[in-house]
Amino acid sequence: MTLIRRLASIPLMGAALLALSAAPASAAAPALLGHQAMLDLNSGASAWLLTSTALVLMMTLPGLALFYGGMVRKKNIISVIAQSTAAFALVSVLWFIAGYSLAFGKGPDAVNGYIGGLQTAFLNGVTSTTAHSLLPGIPELLFVSFQMTFAIITPALIAGAFAERMKFSASLLFFGLWHLIVYAPICHQVWGGGYLGSLGVLDFAGGAVVHVNAGVAGLVCCLVLGPRHGFGRDNMAPANLAYTAIGTGLLLVGWLGFNAGSAGAADALAGTACFNTILAAAAASLGWLAIEWIEKKKPTLLGLLSGIVAGLVAITPAAGFVDPKGAFFIGVIAGPACYAGAVWLKHALKYDDSLDAWGIHGIGGIVGALLTGVFASTAVNPLSEGASIVKQAIGLGGAIAWSAVGTFIVLMICKFTVGLRVTKEGEVEGLDYSEHGESIHS
């Protein structure tokens, strides 16, 4: 029963779910093996989770939409914002229909720690008076809502890799299939009682589930689709860095809900995660800026902004497991590492990761997840006991493999049904008009 009481106050996802999945089956209380518990409301924790849900939702709309929208050419701004908006609409509905159940469901139709069952499809049995058994003080519908915001932003992040060349119809089909085939299973494997969690993999708020998952998928997408017409020859500079700066600010604020909200309560652990998030973002921004200034002789706003996001990505798996010193070193390392991925590696291998989904989210997520195994401290979170870089690497390997194979399958389905790319003429004209019949200045 000590574990059950502790679950109400430890990290909402990476730690609380890990605690259940890591416990020996014989030690698990029977109540935890069911889906629901009757609600005994913890109003303070519920209020913080409600606030965090709003903050994370803001990360996609308008945060990511503006962040990506400012980095594409003027003729494609609307198309990128439309993709973020479509991800919100489509994934929200799919999460209600089946995504939540596949990610967190248990029961006889669950598949051996790889994917949940369908007993809560259409939120069957979820009412205003039930709580998820892992969080007995929080309404289950609020838990569903918070988790939904993570599910929404993850496919939206992938769009940064195929920006300016994928059909809108293809992106819709991709988002839907990817959510069900890739996101929900990985979420279950890490947070929902699946096999990666049982191995002791630490992921406080989405290093593997969100960022590595999206980054790997983005890399597969840009390799399958090929480069934009004129890549490496035409000027593809960002159209409006002011949009990107505003989007970065919204992402930074929203990320406090992402990471501190994953503590599950407005407590000391949330305070640690909050400070770690801000510190790592600042350190990574300076690290990126330093490398860029040395190499290019000029500091850029885009570099500062990219470094902030790199630090936010890297600290996500570690936010509630490390102390501020660990957060600082994670940020300092992540900034240059993501710069190397987004600039040097991309140029060396000549793949067209349009907005650096792999370079920042993939590489930043891997760096952060591995360093969680190095800097995790039981003084911050008792669930850090036994953390190691080897366990983290095993978890990353599993998530990367599932994401890469699943994404390729989804892309092939899209290719042989609606098709993947717009025509050359449509791409040259710009997707705003060729796909949507609109213009940013109409």
Side-chain angles (χ1 to χ4, degrees), residues 299-328:
T300 68
L301 173 60
L302 183 58
L304 278 167
L305 300 174
S306 299
I308 288 173
V309 176
L312 292 170
V313 168
I315 196 58
T316 294
F321 295 119
V322 304
D323 62 19
K325 290 187 290 295
F328 171 75

PDB file of all heavy atoms in Angstrom, residues 299-328:
ATOM      1  N   PRO A 299      26.515  35.483 -34.338  1.00  0.00           N
ATOM      2  CA  PRO A 299      25.461  34.814 -33.571  1.00  0.00           C
ATOM      3  C   PRO A 299      24.106  35.083 -34.231  1.00  0.00           C
ATOM      4  O   PRO A 299      23.831  36.206 -34.660  1.00  0.00           O
ATOM      5  CB  PRO A 299      25.545  35.492 -32.203  1.00  0.00           C
ATOM      6  CG  PRO A 299      26.036  36.883 -32.520  1.00  0.00           C
ATOM      7  CD  PRO A 299      26.934  36.762 -33.723  1.00  0.00           C
ATOM      8  N   THR A 300      23.262  34.087 -34.338  1.00  0.00           N
ATOM      9  CA  THR A 300      21.967  34.288 -34.982  1.00  0.00           C
ATOM     10  C   THR A 300      20.826  34.078 -34.001  1.00  0.00           C
ATOM     11  O   THR A 300      20.937  33.307 -33.040  1.00  0.00           O
ATOM     12  CB  THR A 300      21.775  33.314 -36.162  1.00  0.00           C
ATOM     13  OG1 THR A 300      21.656  31.977 -35.656  1.00  0.00           O
ATOM     14  CG2 THR A 300      22.933  33.405 -37.147  1.00  0.00           C
ATOM     15  N   LEU A 301      19.729  34.757 -34.266  1.00  0.00           N
ATOM     16  CA  LEU A 301      18.526  34.553 -33.471  1.00  0.00           C
ATOM     17  C   LEU A 301      18.029  33.125 -33.626  1.00  0.00           C
ATOM     18  O   LEU A 301      17.633  32.490 -32.639  1.00  0.00           O
ATOM     19  CB  LEU A 301      17.431  35.537 -33.909  1.00  0.00           C
ATOM     20  CG  LEU A 301      16.048  35.330 -33.278  1.00  0.00           C
ATOM     21  CD1 LEU A 301      16.100  35.457 -31.767  1.00  0.00           C
ATOM     22  CD2 LEU A 301      15.033  36.298 -33.879  1.00  0.00           C
ATOM     23  N   LEU A 302      18.069  32.603 -34.852  1.00  0.00           N
ATOM     24  CA  LEU A 302      17.611  31.237 -35.073  1.00  0.00           C
ATOM     25  C   LEU A 302      18.439  30.246 -34.255  1.00  0.00           C
ATOM     26  O   LEU A 302      17.896  29.261 -33.729  1.00  0.00           O
ATOM     27  CB  LEU A 302      17.692  30.887 -36.559  1.00  0.00           C
ATOM     28  CG  LEU A 302      17.172  29.490 -36.949  1.00  0.00           C
ATOM     29  CD1 LEU A 302      15.711  29.317 -36.541  1.00  0.00           C
ATOM     30  CD2 LEU A 302      17.346  29.253 -38.446  1.00  0.00           C
ATOM     31  N   GLY A 303      19.735  30.510 -34.108  1.00  0.00           N
ATOM     32  CA  GLY A 303      20.576  29.657 -33.291  1.00  0.00           C
ATOM     33  C   GLY A 303      20.180  29.690 -31.826  1.00  0.00           C
ATOM     34  O   GLY A 303      20.109  28.651 -31.155  1.00  0.00           O
ATOM     35  N   LEU A 304      19.930  30.884 -31.307  1.00  0.00           N
ATOM     36  CA  LEU A 304      19.490  31.012 -29.914  1.00  0.00           C
ATOM     37  C   LEU A 304      18.189  30.256 -29.685  1.00  0.00           C
ATOM     38  O   LEU A 304      18.037  29.533 -28.684  1.00  0.00           O
ATOM     39  CB  LEU A 304      19.297  32.481 -29.562  1.00  0.00           C
ATOM     40  CG  LEU A 304      20.545  33.291 -29.186  1.00  0.00           C
ATOM     41  CD1 LEU A 304      20.218  34.781 -29.185  1.00  0.00           C
ATOM     42  CD2 LEU A 304      21.061  32.862 -27.823  1.00  0.00           C
ATOM     43  N   LEU A 305      17.248  30.425 -30.605  1.00  0.00           N
ATOM     44  CA  LEU A 305      15.945  29.777 -30.466  1.00  0.00           C
ATOM     45  C   LEU A 305      16.064  28.261 -30.588  1.00  0.00           C
ATOM     46  O   LEU A 305      15.451  27.511 -29.814  1.00  0.00           O
ATOM     47  CB  LEU A 305      14.987  30.314 -31.530  1.00  0.00           C
ATOM     48  CG  LEU A 305      14.723  31.821 -31.499  1.00  0.00           C
ATOM     49  CD1 LEU A 305      13.866  32.239 -32.698  1.00  0.00           C
ATOM     50  CD2 LEU A 305      14.058  32.242 -30.196  1.00  0.00           C
ATOM     51  N   SER A 306      16.846  27.805 -31.547  1.00  0.00           N
ATOM     52  CA  SER A 306      17.031  26.365 -31.732  1.00  0.00           C
ATOM     53  C   SER A 306      17.689  25.745 -30.508  1.00  0.00           C
ATOM     54  O   SER A 306      17.346  24.622 -30.093  1.00  0.00           O
ATOM     55  CB  SER A 306      17.872  26.097 -32.985  1.00  0.00           C
ATOM     56  OG  SER A 306      17.236  26.584 -34.143  1.00  0.00           O
ATOM     57  N   GLY A 307      18.642  26.449 -29.917  1.00  0.00           N
ATOM     58  CA  GLY A 307      19.300  25.950 -28.716  1.00  0.00           C
ATOM     59  C   GLY A 307      18.343  25.814 -27.545  1.00  0.00           C
ATOM     60  O   GLY A 307      18.429  24.857 -26.760  1.00  0.00           O
ATOM     61  N   ILE A 308      17.418  26.763 -27.417  1.00  0.00           N
ATOM     62  CA  ILE A 308      16.414  26.659 -26.356  1.00  0.00           C
ATOM     63  C   ILE A 308      15.607  25.378 -26.503  1.00  0.00           C
ATOM     64  O   ILE A 308      15.421  24.617 -25.539  1.00  0.00           O
ATOM     65  CB  ILE A 308      15.480  27.888 -26.377  1.00  0.00           C
ATOM     66  CG1 ILE A 308      16.221  29.129 -25.867  1.00  0.00           C
ATOM     67  CG2 ILE A 308      14.226  27.644 -25.531  1.00  0.00           C
ATOM     68  CD1 ILE A 308      15.439  30.419 -26.017  1.00  0.00           C
ATOM     69  N   VAL A 309      15.132  25.125 -27.722  1.00  0.00           N
ATOM     70  CA  VAL A 309      14.323  23.921 -27.947  1.00  0.00           C
ATOM     71  C   VAL A 309      15.160  22.660 -27.731  1.00  0.00           C
ATOM     72  O   VAL A 309      14.681  21.670 -27.161  1.00  0.00           O
ATOM     73  CB  VAL A 309      13.699  23.944 -29.355  1.00  0.00           C
ATOM     74  CG1 VAL A 309      12.933  22.651 -29.623  1.00  0.00           C
ATOM     75  CG2 VAL A 309      12.783  25.143 -29.505  1.00  0.00           C
ATOM     76  N   ALA A 310      16.422  22.692 -28.153  1.00  0.00           N
ATOM     77  CA  ALA A 310      17.296  21.538 -27.935  1.00  0.00           C
ATOM     78  C   ALA A 310      17.424  21.222 -26.446  1.00  0.00           C
ATOM     79  O   ALA A 310      17.375  20.057 -26.029  1.00  0.00           O
ATOM     80  CB  ALA A 310      18.671  21.801 -28.546  1.00  0.00           C
ATOM     81  N   GLY A 311      17.590  22.242 -25.628  1.00  0.00           N
ATOM     82  CA  GLY A 311      17.686  22.026 -24.185  1.00  0.00           C
ATOM     83  C   GLY A 311      16.391  21.511 -23.590  1.00  0.00           C
ATOM     84  O   GLY A 311      16.399  20.650 -22.705  1.00  0.00           O
ATOM     85  N   LEU A 312      15.260  22.030 -24.075  1.00  0.00           N
ATOM     86  CA  LEU A 312      13.965  21.560 -23.590  1.00  0.00           C
ATOM     87  C   LEU A 312      13.764  20.083 -23.921  1.00  0.00           C
ATOM     88  O   LEU A 312      13.271  19.301 -23.096  1.00  0.00           O
ATOM     89  CB  LEU A 312      12.849  22.395 -24.221  1.00  0.00           C
ATOM     90  CG  LEU A 312      12.771  23.860 -23.781  1.00  0.00           C
ATOM     91  CD1 LEU A 312      11.795  24.630 -24.651  1.00  0.00           C
ATOM     92  CD2 LEU A 312      12.391  23.973 -22.309  1.00  0.00           C
ATOM     93  N   VAL A 313      14.135  19.707 -25.131  1.00  0.00           N
ATOM     94  CA  VAL A 313      14.013  18.310 -25.539  1.00  0.00           C
ATOM     95  C   VAL A 313      14.882  17.415 -24.657  1.00  0.00           C
ATOM     96  O   VAL A 313      14.433  16.383 -24.147  1.00  0.00           O
ATOM     97  CB  VAL A 313      14.412  18.150 -27.018  1.00  0.00           C
ATOM     98  CG1 VAL A 313      14.575  16.677 -27.386  1.00  0.00           C
ATOM     99  CG2 VAL A 313      13.386  18.811 -27.927  1.00  0.00           C
ATOM    100  N   ALA A 314      16.131  17.797 -24.474  1.00  0.00           N
ATOM    101  CA  ALA A 314      17.081  16.938 -23.760  1.00  0.00           C
ATOM    102  C   ALA A 314      16.726  16.767 -22.290  1.00  0.00           C
ATOM    103  O   ALA A 314      16.956  15.697 -21.714  1.00  0.00           O
ATOM    104  CB  ALA A 314      18.494  17.495 -23.912  1.00  0.00           C
ATOM    105  N   ILE A 315      16.160  17.788 -21.664  1.00  0.00           N
ATOM    106  CA  ILE A 315      15.867  17.681 -20.236  1.00  0.00           C
ATOM    107  C   ILE A 315      14.563  16.934 -19.980  1.00  0.00           C
ATOM    108  O   ILE A 315      14.307  16.474 -18.853  1.00  0.00           O
ATOM    109  CB  ILE A 315      15.803  19.080 -19.577  1.00  0.00           C
ATOM    110  CG1 ILE A 315      15.881  18.984 -18.042  1.00  0.00           C
ATOM    111  CG2 ILE A 315      14.553  19.835 -20.005  1.00  0.00           C
ATOM    112  CD1 ILE A 315      17.126  18.302 -17.515  1.00  0.00           C
ATOM    113  N   THR A 316      13.752  16.740 -20.994  1.00  0.00           N
ATOM    114  CA  THR A 316      12.432  16.131 -20.802  1.00  0.00           C
ATOM    115  C   THR A 316      12.498  14.762 -20.110  1.00  0.00           C
ATOM    116  O   THR A 316      11.766  14.533 -19.144  1.00  0.00           O
ATOM    117  CB  THR A 316      11.689  16.043 -22.142  1.00  0.00           C
ATOM    118  OG1 THR A 316      11.410  17.369 -22.596  1.00  0.00           O
ATOM    119  CG2 THR A 316      10.385  15.283 -22.008  1.00  0.00           C
ATOM    120  N   PRO A 317      13.325  13.815 -20.545  1.00  0.00           N
ATOM    121  CA  PRO A 317      13.339  12.523 -19.850  1.00  0.00           C
ATOM    122  C   PRO A 317      13.943  12.589 -18.461  1.00  0.00           C
ATOM    123  O   PRO A 317      13.715  11.692 -17.639  1.00  0.00           O
ATOM    124  CB  PRO A 317      14.189  11.638 -20.771  1.00  0.00           C
ATOM    125  CG  PRO A 317      15.066  12.586 -21.510  1.00  0.00           C
ATOM    126  CD  PRO A 317      14.231  13.819 -21.708  1.00  0.00           C
ATOM    127  N   ALA A 318      14.701  13.642 -18.176  1.00  0.00           N
ATOM    128  CA  ALA A 318      15.474  13.718 -16.936  1.00  0.00           C
ATOM    129  C   ALA A 318      14.910  14.683 -15.908  1.00  0.00           C
ATOM    130  O   ALA A 318      15.370  14.693 -14.762  1.00  0.00           O
ATOM    131  CB  ALA A 318      16.917  14.147 -17.268  1.00  0.00           C
ATOM    132  N   ALA A 319      13.922  15.483 -16.278  1.00  0.00           N
ATOM    133  CA  ALA A 319      13.524  16.637 -15.470  1.00  0.00           C
ATOM    134  C   ALA A 319      13.229  16.304 -14.018  1.00  0.00           C
ATOM    135  O   ALA A 319      13.569  17.066 -13.112  1.00  0.00           O
ATOM    136  CB  ALA A 319      12.313  17.324 -16.114  1.00  0.00           C
ATOM    137  N   GLY A 320      12.586  15.176 -13.757  1.00  0.00           N
ATOM    138  CA  GLY A 320      12.240  14.805 -12.398  1.00  0.00           C
ATOM    139  C   GLY A 320      13.144  13.753 -11.791  1.00  0.00           C
ATOM    140  O   GLY A 320      12.805  13.160 -10.761  1.00  0.00           O
ATOM    141  N   PHE A 321      14.296  13.543 -12.404  1.00  0.00           N
ATOM    142  CA  PHE A 321      15.249  12.552 -11.892  1.00  0.00           C
ATOM    143  C   PHE A 321      16.611  13.138 -11.549  1.00  0.00           C
ATOM    144  O   PHE A 321      17.412  12.481 -10.892  1.00  0.00           O
ATOM    145  CB  PHE A 321      15.446  11.418 -12.909  1.00  0.00           C
ATOM    146  CG  PHE A 321      14.217  10.582 -13.151  1.00  0.00           C
ATOM    147  CD1 PHE A 321      13.656  10.501 -14.411  1.00  0.00           C
ATOM    148  CD2 PHE A 321      13.616   9.884 -12.112  1.00  0.00           C
ATOM    149  CE1 PHE A 321      12.533   9.729 -14.646  1.00  0.00           C
ATOM    150  CE2 PHE A 321      12.484   9.113 -12.335  1.00  0.00           C
ATOM    151  CZ  PHE A 321      11.937   9.038 -13.603  1.00  0.00           C
ATOM    152  N   VAL A 322      16.913  14.345 -12.019  1.00  0.00           N
ATOM    153  CA  VAL A 322      18.243  14.916 -11.821  1.00  0.00           C
ATOM    154  C   VAL A 322      18.154  16.208 -11.011  1.00  0.00           C
ATOM    155  O   VAL A 322      17.101  16.848 -10.949  1.00  0.00           O
ATOM    156  CB  VAL A 322      18.934  15.206 -13.180  1.00  0.00           C
ATOM    157  CG1 VAL A 322      19.006  13.949 -14.019  1.00  0.00           C
ATOM    158  CG2 VAL A 322      18.222  16.320 -13.939  1.00  0.00           C
ATOM    159  N   ASP A 323      19.275  16.577 -10.399  1.00  0.00           N
ATOM    160  CA  ASP A 323      19.319  17.858  -9.697  1.00  0.00           C
ATOM    161  C   ASP A 323      19.741  18.956 -10.676  1.00  0.00           C
ATOM    162  O   ASP A 323      20.052  18.677 -11.844  1.00  0.00           O
ATOM    163  CB  ASP A 323      20.256  17.773  -8.487  1.00  0.00           C
ATOM    164  CG  ASP A 323      21.703  17.470  -8.863  1.00  0.00           C
ATOM    165  OD1 ASP A 323      22.098  17.667 -10.037  1.00  0.00           O
ATOM    166  OD2 ASP A 323      22.466  17.035  -7.972  1.00  0.00           O
ATOM    167  N   PRO A 324      19.723  20.229 -10.249  1.00  0.00           N
ATOM    168  CA  PRO A 324      20.063  21.306 -11.186  1.00  0.00           C
ATOM    169  C   PRO A 324      21.444  21.184 -11.819  1.00  0.00           C
ATOM    170  O   PRO A 324      21.622  21.587 -12.973  1.00  0.00           O
ATOM    171  CB  PRO A 324      19.947  22.559 -10.313  1.00  0.00           C
ATOM    172  CG  PRO A 324      18.887  22.207  -9.314  1.00  0.00           C
ATOM    173  CD  PRO A 324      19.145  20.755  -8.993  1.00  0.00           C
ATOM    174  N   LYS A 325      22.417  20.629 -11.106  1.00  0.00           N
ATOM    175  CA  LYS A 325      23.735  20.453 -11.721  1.00  0.00           C
ATOM    176  C   LYS A 325      23.643  19.496 -12.901  1.00  0.00           C
ATOM    177  O   LYS A 325      24.242  19.710 -13.954  1.00  0.00           O
ATOM    178  CB  LYS A 325      24.737  19.947 -10.675  1.00  0.00           C
ATOM    179  CG  LYS A 325      25.109  20.974  -9.614  1.00  0.00           C
ATOM    180  CD  LYS A 325      26.223  20.479  -8.724  1.00  0.00           C
ATOM    181  CE  LYS A 325      25.766  19.352  -7.805  1.00  0.00           C
ATOM    182  NZ  LYS A 325      24.755  19.794  -6.822  1.00  0.00           N
ATOM    183  N   GLY A 326      22.901  18.410 -12.721  1.00  0.00           N
ATOM    184  CA  GLY A 326      22.701  17.484 -13.822  1.00  0.00           C
ATOM    185  C   GLY A 326      21.982  18.132 -14.985  1.00  0.00           C
ATOM    186  O   GLY A 326      22.329  17.923 -16.156  1.00  0.00           O
ATOM    187  N   ALA A 327      20.965  18.950 -14.679  1.00  0.00           N
ATOM    188  CA  ALA A 327      20.227  19.653 -15.731  1.00  0.00           C
ATOM    189  C   ALA A 327      21.138  20.596 -16.506  1.00  0.00           C
ATOM    190  O   ALA A 327      21.044  20.706 -17.737  1.00  0.00           O
ATOM    191  CB  ALA A 327      19.057  20.422 -15.122  1.00  0.00           C
ATOM    192  N   PHE A 328      22.018  21.271 -15.787  1.00  0.00           N
ATOM    193  CA  PHE A 328      22.955  22.191 -16.441  1.00  0.00           C
ATOM    194  C   PHE A 328      23.855  21.451 -17.427  1.00  0.00           C
ATOM    195  O   PHE A 328      24.019  21.869 -18.579  1.00  0.00           O
ATOM    196  CB  PHE A 328      23.800  22.898 -15.386  1.00  0.00           C
ATOM    197  CG  PHE A 328      24.943  23.693 -15.949  1.00  0.00           C
ATOM    198  CD1 PHE A 328      24.735  24.905 -16.573  1.00  0.00           C
ATOM    199  CD2 PHE A 328      26.247  23.204 -15.863  1.00  0.00           C
ATOM    200  CE1 PHE A 328      25.797  25.638 -17.108  1.00  0.00           C
ATOM    201  CE2 PHE A 328      27.308  23.927 -16.390  1.00  0.00           C
ATOM    202  CZ  PHE A 328      27.081  25.141 -17.018  1.00  0.00           C
TER     203      PHE A 328
END
